[in-house]
Amino acid sequence: MRLDRDRGWLLLALLSGVPIAVGDLLLGPAHSLAGLLLICALLAATRLDGPRTGAVSLYALLLAAAVAAREHDVGERDMLVRLAVLVLGGAYATWSAAQRVAHERRLTESSSVAQRAILQPTSFRLGSTAVCARYHSASPQALIGGDLYAFAHTPTGLRLLIGDVRGKGLQAVRLAAAAIGFFRDSAYTHPDLPAVLAATDRRLTPMLGPEDFVTALAAEFTGAAGPTSTLVRLANCGHHPPLLLPADGTPRLIAPAEPATPLGLHPAPAVQDIVLGPGDRMLFYTDGLAEARNAQGAMVDLADLRPACSRAALEEAADAVQDALLRHTDGDLADDVAFILVEVCPTASDRGARARSGTRDRTAPAVGAAHSPCDPPRPHLPRSAVARQARNLARARHSVARIARGGGGPSAPATTAAATSRSLMLVCCEV
């Protein structure tokens, strides 16, 4: 963790002055190495904050004074000049460290705001599929990561993407936002998941550095498996496998038979088909959840999340997963966490059959509209409404053409403009 690295750097800055002091004593009063003790303050300023850099600077000054006292040359002019240089250098190092930390804090806050803007908590239900997504930022000592998720309601069904950008900070957030936008564009215009991911990869690759990549997992939910079942197609590009949570069964990871490379490395993922029955759930997640560690260094066991994921309401289950993760890490997350919990909801007829048979099922109530970045479910308009929209658009185009030609007499433009406004208003209201 970053706090442990800072402690190690503090120890390095302090110990670096010891060989300099020992060498000064061995050389004797004829030669002084006191000026080299400024290295301690400079080392501290590169990684530590202002107070700790100031403490290291004071330590270097006291160490130089102690060596000078040992050699009985504290009052000499050359030694006083060296001590003054240590004071000024330490003061500058302390100020520089404080400015650097303030700048990093501003960048972190900007990254956090941007990350929350593109990863808002999302809950919605589309047909028999209920979705609840959550994002939890890491502890203040950690840098903002590049976690992402996105949804698209396409003619083939609900498509989702969850991924993680390599790296931290604003650059990772920028790439995450780009990946979300490219996925949404591709999800509506390509027939299957491999084509969607290939198009996303083509547009994302020019934005990536030589060592950058984006792990991603795409899923498509369709009702093709049966009247009470949902077919889920998965395409994994180097991401953590989702956790399948059957209503009656043991949780298991759905790992691909052949691993694929992440986005940015031209992946060619194979598609996996999974059939979900009523009450079955799937947990999609980023490495912040899979690699969350407690104080002893033990990672979270995904099987232990089964009770949290099994809460009756899907939103309550998502909140329970967050709480379980925070308990495991004592509230100190080293990385951001994003996850999506999906459930196949039983239909009304299926719930009635279960009630008559005395079988209890786990259902998620219909929840409100989705928030950004989730695309809200698009209404399926009846044919009559689509026909009215087409007629109104045709009238509007015809009216604009008449105005452009200037036909119909002196009063025609005003009359035609009014008709155009009415036609466009009807289209807007129906959409």
Side-chain angles (χ1 to χ4, degrees):
M1 294 177 60
R2 185 176 181 180
L3 188 58
D4 295 333
R5 294 195 297 268
D6 288 349
R7 289 171 180 169
W9 199 260
L10 174 62
L11 184 62
L12 174 64
L14 293 174
L15 293 180
S16 63
V18 174
I20 297 175
V22 172
D24 197 333
L25 291 173
L26 293 177
L27 290 174
H31 303 281
S32 177
L33 303 178
L36 294 179
L37 290 174
L38 189 58
I39 293 176
C40 301
L42 297 178
L43 282 174
T46 59
R47 291 285 294 273
L48 304 179
D49 57 11
R52 281 185 285 188
T53 301
V56 172
S57 301
L58 179 60
Y59 158 80
L61 178 63
L62 295 177
L63 189 59
V67 172
R70 176 77 177 179
E71 295 178 344
H72 307 289
D73 58 355
V74 177
E76 294 186 4
R77 185 176 63 179
D78 290 345
M79 179 54 63
L80 292 176
V81 171
R82 295 188 182 96
L83 293 178
V85 169
L86 286 177
V87 171
L88 294 176
Y92 176 77
T94 303
W95 176 83
S96 178
Q99 293 296 311
R100 176 183 52 79
V101 170
H103 179 65
E104 290 178 354
R105 186 179 295 112
R106 288 192 296 269
L107 287 179
T108 301
E109 291 174 355
S110 300
S111 301
S112 180
V113 170
Q115 189 82 330
R116 288 186 174 90
I118 64 175
L119 291 182
Q120 297 225 2
T122 302
S123 297
F124 65 95
R125 179 169 172 173
L126 191 62
S128 63
T129 305
V131 178
C132 191
R134 292 287 186 269
Y135 167 75
H136 190 91
S137 59
S139 59
Q141 293 83 10
L143 292 175
I144 300 298
D147 294 13
L148 62 98
Y149 54 71
F151 307 91
H153 179 203
T154 70
T156 58
L158 172 67
R159 287 175 173 173
L160 67 83
L161 177 76
I162 188 166
D164 193 0
V165 177
R166 180 188 180 275
K168 304 289 183 182
L170 280 176
Q171 173 67 5
V173 176
R174 184 180 71 89
L175 293 176
I180 290 173
F182 297 155
F183 166 76
R184 285 177 174 170
D185 292 344
S186 304
Y188 292 113
T189 56
H190 289 79
D192 52 40
L193 292 182
V196 170
L197 292 173
T200 304
D201 176 76
R202 285 194 299 271
R203 296 181 63 183
L204 190 63
T205 298
M207 302 179 61
L208 301 176
E211 299 180 359
D212 292 337
F213 56 83
V214 181
T215 65
L217 171 61
E220 179 182 277
F221 295 80
T222 66
T228 61
S229 301
T230 297
L231 176 64
V232 183
R233 291 190 170 95
L234 303 173
N236 196 328
C237 298
H239 198 72
H240 291 280
L243 179 66
L244 175 61
L245 300 152
D248 299 310
T250 304
R252 61 188 179 93
L253 294 173
I254 310 298
E258 294 291 338
T261 56
L263 297 178
L265 300 175
H266 310 299
V271 176
Q272 297 173 273
D273 289 345
I274 306 295
V275 177
L276 299 184
D280 291 348
R281 291 180 176 177
M282 290 190 76
L283 178 65
F284 303 85
Y285 53 91
T286 59
D287 56 358
L289 187 149
E291 301 172 5
R293 300 176 182 271
N294 58 14
Q296 290 72 38
M299 292 192 298
V300 65
D301 188 353
L302 293 179
D304 293 340
L305 299 177
R306 174 64 184 264
C309 294
S310 299
R311 298 287 182 91
L314 200 63
E315 287 188 328
E316 293 180 1
D319 293 338
V321 170
Q322 274 194 164
D323 294 340
L325 196 62
L326 292 175
R327 284 195 303 271
H328 178 78
T329 60
D330 295 325
D332 187 19
L333 289 173
D335 196 2
D336 294 354
V337 175
F339 65 89
I340 306 171
L341 193 58
V342 182
E343 179 182 9
V344 175
C345 302
T347 62
S349 59
D350 186 67
R351 286 197 297 268
R354 287 172 177 255
R356 287 191 296 273
S357 64
T359 304
R360 298 182 62 188
D361 61 3
R362 179 183 61 195
T363 63
V367 291
H371 303 287
S372 176
C374 171
D375 294 328
R378 297 182 174 182
H380 296 282
L381 297 176
R383 292 181 181 271
S384 59
V386 175
R388 285 197 304 272
Q389 287 186 11
R391 286 195 299 270
N392 289 326
L393 283 172
R395 292 185 188 126
R397 287 195 296 267
H398 179 65
S399 301
V400 171
R402 288 184 60 189
I403 293 174
R405 290 195 302 268
S411 61
T415 305
T416 308
T420 303
S421 299
R422 285 195 300 271
S423 300
L424 293 177
M425 187 177 298
L426 286 171
V427 173
C428 293
C429 291
E430 290 176 357
V431 173

